[in-house]
Amino acid sequence: MDTRPIGVFDSGLGGLTCVKKLMDVLPGEDIIYLGDTGRVPYGGRSRETILKYARQDIAFLRRFDIKAVVAACGTVSTNGLEEIAGDYDIPVFGVADAAAAAAARLTKSGRVGLIGTKASIRSDAYDRKILALRPDTVIVKRACPLFVPLVEEGRIDPHDPVLRLVAEQYLAELRDARVDTLILGCTHYPLIARTVGEIMGPEVRLIDPGAETAQRLKTELARLDAGNPARRGQRRYYVTDSAEDFGRAASLFLEAHVEGDVKRVSLEEKTDE
Ligand code: DGL
């Protein structure tokens, strides 16, 4: 047993889709979440900048005595996370491995769609991971750069006309390509899964990287005998911009009142905790 918290980070609200799944499958775990809201989105940035931000995010989380880090960010997970993971003495998980494994396992036709940020799609990391598991897979992919700003603006209602229009345009070629599985390759996207699902059609299975990663973490913590099963976990949230805005949105997404648990921090300075 290891009662230390798990550190989770993303550029903004997206990583909360992973936190929600972690709360479901590992309810006893304490979670410290960092949303780098002052610098969201990461997805249009260079690999060097993304890695620099990831290191700073992990350094912040390591000010607490955490037992593992989850990069609940598709962009970080596909842009060199594996290269820096070895620099830490605790396990560092990305979200792409578990999602790629789920896609390779679940596709029947072998035609897998992938949507993500520009940086994730450019990286080819998903292609490599899926093809290593299932070499005959055809991967059809599309960057969807407007989805993250729309989600951060709270435009997640399936009837939102702007979201609908943007999603129709982004997803048209994937629908035409007749994929049977679609990886929501950015952790913001499960928040608009209903819209994506309606456009893709009921026969297309959507893969949520945060959900797959939560399951993987559960297995891994059990294997390492590092779980914290005995109690109800606590969650604390840190952001690099307005705590109020984040708290309001996070409460909606997590279906829980988290406003009081959100603090604004600077990644350069030490916190008092
Ligand atoms: N939610 C993140 C991802 O999974 C970050 C998106 C962004 O900041 O552009 O890629």
Side-chain angles (χ1 to χ4, degrees), residues 220-238:
E220 199 54 20
L221 291 181
R223 190 181 69 78
L224 299 169
D225 192 21
N228 187 12
R231 34 188 286 270
R232 209 173 110 61
Q234 294 180 337
R235 286 104 205 178
R236 280 180 284 168
Y237 303 88
Y238 295 89

Side-chain angles (χ1 to χ4, degrees), residues 188-232:
H188 280 72
Y189 299 175
L191 292 162
I192 52 168
R194 216 176 113 196
T195 303
V196 173
E198 281 174 11
I199 294 169
M200 293 304 292
E203 62 291 347
V204 177
R205 182 169 204 143
L206 304 184
I207 306 238
D208 174 344
E212 300 300 329
T213 303
Q215 287 296 346
R216 183 163 282 201
L217 210 69
K218 184 179 180 183
T219 308
E220 199 54 20
L221 291 181
R223 190 181 69 78
L224 299 169
D225 192 21
N228 187 12
R231 34 188 286 270
R232 209 173 110 61

Side-chain angles (χ1 to χ4, degrees), residues 250-265:
S251 298
L252 275 177
F253 296 147
L254 295 172
E255 292 156 11
H257 287 289
V258 305
E259 279 96 335
D261 303 323
V262 185
K263 276 196 191 138
R264 181 174 180 159
V265 289

Side-chain angles (χ1 to χ4, degrees), residues 10-12 14-15 40-44 72-76 95 117 120 148 185-188:
D10 180 39
S11 60
V40 67
Y42 283 7
C73 175
T75 304
V76 168
V95 287
T117 63
S120 289
V148 168
C186 166
T187 51
H188 280 72

